[in-house]
Amino acid sequence: MPDIRPAMGSGALVLNATYEPLCVVSVRRAAILVLTAKAVCVADGDGVLHSAFDALPVPSVVRLTRFVRVPYRTHVGLSRRAIFARDGWRCAYCRGPAETIDHVFPRSRGGRHAWENVVAACARCNHTKGDKTPAEMGWRLHAMPTTPKGTAWRVLGHRAPDPRWADWLDLRENELTTTPVAEAA
Ligand SMILES: [Zn+2]
């Protein structure tokens, strides 16, 4: 195995032979795919990886040389990090930095633990709201919580996208870039 230090970069995007984005792997794993001719590099990252026999640019995007059939995960797992990522790490009520997860309709009153009923919230709003609904508090949600959709979410999950991957992932179809929903004018 080549001596590839894993500290390089965050990861590499893997495309199917058809250029369809599949997943993100470590740079080391992507380099091994290239060295073993299972993939070709289509976009370089920063720096060069050295092996005993070779040197190759750090791969940022690789494309598999043979098509693989992949069963799709149709829904995004409801994890704490995924909720923060969807909501841009901002509180759904005051737009301050989010530290907690709030159930919009409180769990204590039968609110579901589902994408449509969870939002990122700061500790203060969460504590103040307690087991009330936003309507009872006279608060407005910044945006209606929904299930994240699209290729980018399927491939990246809560991972921050590398700008070099933009050509292959439609990053504008959701708020992955953590840009808050446009403030109402
Ligand atoms: Zn808040």
Side-chain angles (χ1 to χ4, degrees):
M1 276 297 116
D3 169 29
I4 295 167
R5 265 150 282 170
M8 308 287 280
S10 53
L13 177 67
V14 179
L15 307 175
N16 212 337
T18 52
Y19 286 90
E20 186 183 14
L22 288 178
C23 60
V24 177
V25 299
S26 69
V27 162
R28 183 176 191 278
R29 174 130 176 76
I32 290 167
L33 288 172
V34 172
L35 290 170
T36 54
K38 293 199 170 79
V40 291
C41 187
V42 291
D44 294 342
D46 300 316
V48 175
L49 296 168
H50 295 279
S51 75
F53 318 102
D54 217 345
L56 85 157
V58 169
S60 175
V61 182
V62 300
R63 183 170 70 91
L64 297 178
T65 47
R66 293 182 62 180
F67 177 77
V68 293
R69 206 167 286 282
V70 187
Y72 285 137
R73 236 174 356 125
T74 49
H75 78 280
V76 180
L78 184 58
S79 71
R80 202 178 151 80
R81 285 198 61 177
I83 297 165
F84 284 136
R86 182 198 63 181
D87 295 353
W89 287 270
R90 306 275 294 274
C91 174
Y93 304 110
C94 74
R95 307 306 291 153
E99 309 144 283
T100 65
I101 301 298
D102 178 57
H103 290 86
V104 178
F105 194 85
R107 290 212 91 182
S108 60
R109 293 162 60 182
R112 292 192 322 127
H113 186 64
W115 277 112
E116 294 77 14
N117 193 47
V118 293
V119 289
C122 72
R124 200 169 144 215
C125 288
N126 201 337
H127 183 76
T128 309
K129 180 171 169 282
D131 62 355
K132 299 222 170 50
T133 66
E136 287 165 354
M137 297 297 294
W139 290 0
R140 270 189 44 222
L141 275 168
H142 200 77
M144 286 313 289
T146 56
T147 306
K149 289 187 193 71
T151 310
W153 265 96
R154 198 186 67 232
V155 174
L156 298 172
H158 57 69
R159 210 184 276 266
D162 185 315
R164 281 174 290 229
W165 302 344
D167 287 351
W168 292 277
L169 296 172
D170 186 0
L171 298 177
R172 279 162 306 172
E173 71 192 57
N174 55 43
E175 283 118 46
L176 266 178
T177 48
T178 74
T179 314
V181 192
E183 305 280 342

